[in-house]
Amino acid sequence: ADCDAASPARTLAAVADPRVDARAYWLDAHTVRWPGKSPSARYRLARSDDAALHLDAERRVQGADRAISLTAIVGSGEPTPPAFAFVPPGAQFLLTTDDQRDVRDHLDAQWWLLQENADGRVVDATLLQSPGLLDAALDGDRAVPAPRVSATSTELGLWAPTARQVAVCLYAGADGPAERTLPLRHDRVTGAWTLDLDGDHRGRAYAFLVDVQVPGVGVVRNRVTDPYAVTLTADSARSVLADLDDPRLAPAGWTTHPRPAPPAGNVDMSIYELHVRDFSAADRSVPAAHRGRYLAFIDAASNGMRHLRALREAGLTDIHLLPVFDFASVPERGCTTPVIPPSAPDSPIPQQLIAASAARDCYNWGYDPYHFGAPEGSYATDASDGDARIREFRAMVQALHAAGLRVGMDVVYNHVHASGQDATSVLDRIVPGYYLRLDANGAVEHSTCCANTATEHRMMARLMVDTLVRWARDYGIDSFRFDLMGHQPRAVMEQAQRALRDAVGHDVPLIGEGWNYGEVADGRRFVQAAQGRLAGTGIGTFSDRARDALRGGGCCDSGADLVQRKGWLNGLAELPVTDPAAARAADLVHAGLAGTLRDYPMTFADGHRDTLASLAYAGQPAGYAIAPGDVVNYVENHDNLTLFDVDALRLPSTTPRAERARVQALGVAVVALSQGVAYYHAGIDLLRSKSLDRNSFDSGDRFNRLDWTYTDNGFGAGLPASADNSKDWPLLAPVLRDPRIRPTPRDIAWMRDVFRDWLRIRASTPLLRLRDAAEVQRRLTFPNAGTATNNAVIVGHVDGSGIDAGAYREVLYLVNASAEARSIVLPSERGKPYVLHPVQRRGADARVRQARSDGLGHFSVPPRTAAVFVLPARPARPVSGTGFPA
């Protein structure tokens, strides 16, 4: 009955006392600490096998099957394990060998730590946080926590060390009743439960029944899916047994299909960040059944695939897909897309209709993990068919590989969709309190937006590493981008690096958001995989230094700040270098161009010379990387306002459409010219707008669509979603109404083609992709940096002498963010016969061909233009005063 019950949980024994606070910690298998408590008090550890612990009217503990008297360690005591250095001091206890054995034999019990007075009355009582005990007492590395499936046998595994019983429900299909319920056997050494089945069970659906103590509830029988599920039925109702080596789960040619070679280094990656649904939902050249789905990528003649192939031909190397693992926010059966009638550019109606259907809408970014190792079903043509989502995911990867593009995957291991007894909570319903990070009271931390995972715990780290290997080995994923990576330990990221290398035979690039905040900030719990803490690992972090300097403001601006906090691209470059904001922006743009390298020496705008580590940024060093590959450069991604929308607010309203496109192109240019990884948001090359929506994660196709016909950039789709934007509607509405801002198809096509030129420039110019920090320090200079600079023009020079620099032995770039032409004298470049980069000589931007070098160190750059001059590796023909071969 429990296999088919409407509710996924049944209480077997209700808790006698509903307390849920857990203020004490198991530090290891024999040590307990209760922070803030005096060691001179009286303490006991009480156990109930049936959740019966409670206090009577006289505050004496009742319902205990056993109570262990504890004596606090006085003096130096036991050293604190490094994993628990964050736990404040307090009363600490060392259990005897017999008591340790009793605890070990009753991991499935309810445990309270009691502080009592001399009369045995309870002064205070708390539950204990158990990860330290479970990680120390069990050999989780030897556990079998995942299904092993073949045509002749199946081994099921579930790591559930605190469960008193585990069984599996076996189903013939996605919707029918259970055929069998079979018990799993418990391995007390590893904490895993396993079951061996003979015969062919591929395609069979299953779910686990886990009897476990749940704080505040009691002994509960939870029906739950497999956290290691390979695939699932619709809406993740049941796991499905699948053998990823089964040829039936692969598209034709899968095992032998050619894959692009891995990059020689991170800096050789030019990445395009793309959402599966955005890619094709509005593309009428894609068959209707494929729109918004994995299979849209196999339609080689579609407008979208033509676009991606053109980007690859220009030099793009990688597509990074927003979440494609199984997530909880989109119904996989019967999702809807609201019909939105034509409306004014500032109408509130579109967002109202989207919000009204959000719970059933087909759209979400997907940053709410449900099952880390299974493909998302809403992108499959039949979410009820567990095999289909595997085949179609692989078909997508194969098609992108055929287009010459590597495929990266955005992964979200820092949180899960739900915790506790929520129906979509998986991990916490199997091992309560283990997989998720808890605060000092035992409540789940939510600093990442949702229920934070604890990848510092062994089996959460293993779940992450094992599923990453699955994606790389079995699905052909070439790289990974980690959401909020700074909430994870550096050591676990390095563990993942090693495992991926072992699995596929080469390094798999890892990049991520290395933000430093929340309960783990500044290394409070572990050395984070955050900015400045990954030296020598080769793991890249997104750099917000140049991003903020170019755009202006920050992620969370509102009100007047949306207009007034200008960046170097949209206003500050016009100010004199003596202006503090302008000077700071110029310094941070230089830092970005230099790969945000910690030890890069530079002359700052105020005239002093020091390394980038001395330049302040939001209370941190602006320079933090020790190698160019440590840094991911970008000016826009899926989060926050697009660059076009930022500029719609910050550029003067009178700025012509064509000039707005040029400002966008300058942002792209700075990323292309920066040492490090180049990262672009899909649609940045189409002047992409989300109608001023700062957080379009659930704003539907209306605000997120991509138009591969190059006629509409999305501006003026209506007022953006109320939840995150309504306080600013009075400011946003007149901007959306302004007809001067929306670009024409001609503007979009120009930006498209100029973007491709910048991809070509970066791909054909190795000096823009130096791999070593020492080489950047030796070869990259900023000839006009310092107090004498013209703040509107940033100049970078890269010297390729003595190395294989490709076709150009020197590169000189000049980026003019002013609305006026600017001239500059660079004495160091006198006598050099510079020519405009060949891509720009024949490229889409006619204005850049007005840039001049007279060979005497004098340069002029047209308004809002980035010009790249080169010295060919071989002697060039004489150069005229125009900067072109005579």
Side-chain angles (χ1 to χ4, degrees):
D2 290 314
C3 289
D4 302 313
S7 171
R10 179 164 68 91
T11 301
L12 304 178
V15 71
D17 185 311
R19 73 182 61 234
V20 294
D21 63 306
R23 291 172 283 122
Y25 296 80
W26 284 101
L27 301 184
D28 52 32
H30 51 75
T31 313
V32 172
R33 182 185 297 174
W34 195 345
K37 292 295 184 179
S38 168
S40 62
R42 172 179 167 176
Y43 298 94
R44 285 198 299 162
L45 193 60
R47 185 195 88 224
S48 168
D49 296 332
D50 297 305
L53 293 175
H54 65 282
L55 302 181
D56 63 18
E58 296 185 348
R59 294 194 63 80
R60 297 181 189 277
V61 69
Q62 301 295 331
D65 292 300
R66 183 170 184 237
I68 301 171
S69 296
L70 301 173
T71 302
I73 299 169
V74 179
S76 59
E78 292 284 298
T80 300
F84 293 95
F86 70 93
V87 177
Q92 188 158 313
F93 315 98
L94 185 65
L95 275 68
T96 68
T97 301
D98 288 342
D99 292 339
Q100 292 175 46
R101 186 178 300 112
D102 185 67
V103 169
R104 178 67 180 77
D105 289 343
H106 293 89
L107 294 177
D108 59 348
Q110 178 191 42
W111 290 92
W112 282 11
L113 183 56
L114 309 171
Q115 179 187 359
E116 298 174 331
N117 64 17
D119 295 331
R121 290 181 171 86
V122 175
V123 176
D124 198 1
T126 182
L127 283 68
L128 297 92
Q129 298 190 25
S130 62
L133 167 65
L134 299 181
D135 280 348
L138 302 168
D139 189 357
D141 292 340
R142 291 173 52 200
V144 178
R148 298 175 179 177
V149 183
S150 73
T152 57
S153 66
T154 291
E155 182 179 14
L156 289 171
L158 183 72
W159 191 74
T162 61
R164 56 177 53 192
Q165 182 173 292
V166 176
V168 64
C169 306
L170 294 174
Y171 305 89
D175 300 310
E179 292 186 323
R180 286 192 289 171
T181 304
L182 300 173
L184 277 67
R185 63 181 179 275
H186 187 206
D187 181 348
R188 293 166 55 82
V189 174
T190 67
W193 298 72
T194 59
L195 172 67
D196 294 326
L197 296 169
D198 292 331
D200 188 352
H201 294 277
R202 294 175 298 176
R204 184 181 291 274
Y206 69 103
F208 291 113
L209 299 177
V210 182
D211 294 359
V212 66
Q213 295 263 4
V214 177
V217 181
V219 180
V220 178
R221 177 164 295 164
N222 277 319
R223 188 178 70 246
V224 64
T225 46
D226 189 344
Y228 272 84
V230 174
T231 189
L232 301 136
T233 62
D235 295 321
S236 308
R238 297 170 181 173
S239 306
V240 177
L241 295 169
D243 174 9
L244 290 172
D245 293 327
D246 184 349
R248 295 176 299 178
L249 299 185
W254 169 252
T255 57
T256 57
H257 85 270
R259 293 175 57 173
N266 283 1
V267 298
D268 291 321
M269 300 170 72
S270 288
I271 300 171
Y272 200 64
E273 180 198 46
L274 183 63
H275 184 268
V276 168
R277 186 168 177 87
D278 292 354
F279 173 66
S280 62
D283 189 350
R284 298 302 170 188
S285 67
V286 172
H290 292 179
R291 290 176 200 156
R293 305 186 188 279
Y294 300 127
L295 290 185
F297 292 90
I298 73 170
D299 298 310
S302 72
N303 293 334
M305 283 306 297
R306 290 175 188 272
H307 185 86
L308 295 188
R309 286 197 301 274
L311 294 179
R312 176 65 193 100
E313 290 166 7
L316 190 76
T317 62
D318 292 72
I319 297 294
H320 269 206
L321 299 171
L322 267 69
V324 284
F325 52 75
D326 181 57
F327 52 81
S329 51
V330 172
E332 294 180 348
R333 281 191 293 198
C335 72
T336 62
T337 300
V339 176
I340 301 174
S343 57
D346 61 339
S347 170
I349 293 173
Q351 64 85 31
Q352 289 172 356
L353 293 172
I354 291 168
S357 64
R360 299 298 304 170
D361 192 280
C362 299
Y363 193 91
N364 201 281
W365 282 349
Y367 287 90
D368 50 324
Y370 201 168
H371 297 86
F372 291 109
E376 165 60 16
S378 68
Y379 296 145
T381 56
D382 183 359
S384 299
D385 183 348
D387 293 351
R389 63 177 80 187
I390 297 173
R391 282 193 302 271
E392 292 173 10
F393 189 110
R394 286 170 158 177
M396 171 184 67
V397 172
Q398 186 172 343
L400 287 167
H401 283 167
L405 291 159
R406 292 187 292 261
V407 183
M409 182 172 169
D410 197 334
V411 289
V412 186
Y413 288 102
N414 62 83
H415 64 248
V416 288
H417 177 256
S419 61
Q421 285 295 104
D422 189 283
T424 59
S425 171
V426 176
L427 300 174
D428 221 17
R429 294 174 64 229
I430 297 172
V431 193
Y434 176 81
Y435 283 101
L436 306 184
R437 187 175 299 126
L438 307 179
D439 66 14
N441 294 312
V444 176
E445 294 277 10
H446 283 77
S447 60
T448 63
C449 85
C450 310
N452 292 5
T453 56
T455 38
E456 63 270 28
H457 300 160
R458 177 182 298 177
M459 295 306 284
M460 181 61 216
R462 181 170 174 188
L463 176 60
M464 183 182 99
V465 172
D466 288 350
T467 51
L468 286 170
V469 167
R470 181 187 294 172
W471 291 116
R473 181 192 61 213
D474 299 320
Y475 288 93
I477 294 297
D478 300 292
S479 63
F480 294 95
R481 180 253 188 213
F482 288 78
D483 182 67
L484 299 182
M485 184 176 66
H487 269 62
Q488 295 171 192
R490 181 182 70 187
V492 174
M493 291 296 298
E494 292 179 299
Q495 179 186 346
Q497 256 186 330
R498 294 189 295 270
L500 287 164
R501 185 185 305 119
D502 291 344
V504 300
H506 59 77
D507 287 329
V508 174
L510 306 180
I511 62 174
E513 292 180 311
W515 315 135
N516 174 37
Y517 76 98
E519 73 281 359
V520 300
D522 301 320
R524 290 177 198 150
R525 297 208 177 199
F526 43 75
V527 178
Q528 300 155 261
Q531 290 177 342
R533 295 168 174 82
L534 289 164
T537 65
I539 299 169
T541 57
F542 286 82
S543 174
D544 42 0
R545 277 57 167 168
R547 178 203 68 181
D548 287 352
L550 291 164
R551 293 162 58 97
C555 69
C556 307
D557 293 338
S558 63
D561 285 346
L562 286 168
V563 175
Q564 295 173 2
R565 296 188 69 192
K566 297 182 184 294
W568 189 77
L569 290 175
N570 48 44
L572 293 183
E574 303 285 11
L575 301 178
V577 75
T578 52
D579 181 273
R584 177 175 178 75
D587 283 344
L588 288 171
V589 173
H590 283 110
L593 289 163
T596 323
L597 291 171
R598 181 184 66 195
D599 298 325
Y600 183 84
M602 200 184 86
T603 302
F604 298 110
D606 64 1
H608 88 280
R609 188 168 178 81
D610 207 335
T611 64
L612 290 178
S614 72
L615 179 64
Y617 170 82
Q620 307 167 70
Y624 65 84
I626 68 164
D630 293 350
V631 166
V632 180
N633 300 301
Y634 70 117
V635 73
E636 168 186 319
N637 74 349
H638 66 274
D639 281 321
N640 312 129
L641 293 167
T642 67
L643 181 57
F644 181 91
D645 286 346
V646 165
D647 290 337
L649 293 162
R650 291 183 175 146
L651 285 171
S653 61
T654 55
T655 306
R657 295 183 182 95
E659 293 301 299
R660 292 178 183 276
R662 298 196 70 85
V663 173
Q664 182 110 342
L666 289 181
V668 165
V670 172
V671 172
L673 295 168
S674 296
Q675 301 292 334
V677 178
Y679 198 92
Y680 302 104
H681 181 214
I684 193 173
D685 50 332
L686 309 181
L687 302 175
R688 186 178 191 176
S689 169
K690 296 181 180 179
S691 203
L692 306 183
D693 194 338
R694 69 173 69 228
N695 187 17
S696 68
F697 80 101
D698 201 18
S699 296
D701 298 328
R702 173 81 169 195
F703 290 86
N704 289 284
R705 67 190 187 280
L706 287 164
D707 178 10
W708 304 121
T709 68
Y710 315 124
T711 57
D712 180 13
N713 79 328
F715 187 77
L719 284 170
S722 171
D724 291 299
N725 303 279
S726 61
K727 63 183 179 299
D728 294 317
W729 278 357
L731 183 151
L732 305 179
V735 176
L736 292 169
R737 286 196 303 268
D738 192 336
R740 298 169 295 181
I741 295 176
R742 183 192 295 273
T744 66
R746 180 177 180 181
D747 300 319
I748 295 171
W750 180 89
M751 182 65 209
R752 173 199 66 200
D753 296 342
V754 168
F755 178 78
R756 294 173 188 177
D757 285 346
W758 282 111
L759 291 176
R760 293 183 183 99
I761 288 169
R762 184 172 177 86
S764 64
T765 313
L767 290 176
L768 300 177
R769 296 178 280 111
L770 297 171
R771 290 180 169 78
D772 182 82
E775 288 294 285
V776 176
Q777 293 169 22
R778 181 181 304 119
R779 300 183 182 282
L780 173 65
T781 57
F782 298 111
N784 74 327
T787 55
T789 65
N790 179 337
N791 190 51
V793 182
I794 284 180
V795 181
H797 176 264
V798 195
D799 185 352
S801 302
I803 60 172
D804 181 6
Y808 317 114
R809 67 182 186 272
E810 292 186 43
V811 173
L812 181 78
Y813 53 80
L814 300 93
V815 186
N816 177 18
S818 172
E820 305 293 333
R822 297 296 175 106
S823 297
I824 193 165
V825 178
L826 302 173
S828 61
E829 307 311 303
R830 179 185 293 272
K832 295 181 180 180
Y834 281 111
V835 296
L836 201 63
H837 196 289
V839 170
Q840 291 190 317
R841 290 207 300 269
R842 58 178 180 264
D845 184 6
R847 186 183 292 182
V848 73
R849 291 191 280 277
Q850 301 170 23
R852 297 289 183 265
S853 167
D854 65 358
L856 302 176
H858 295 83
F859 297 85
S860 63
V861 189
R864 293 185 172 124
T865 298
V868 181
F869 290 95
V870 295
L871 290 181
R874 296 175 180 174
R877 289 176 286 161
V879 175
S880 70
T882 65
F884 299 101

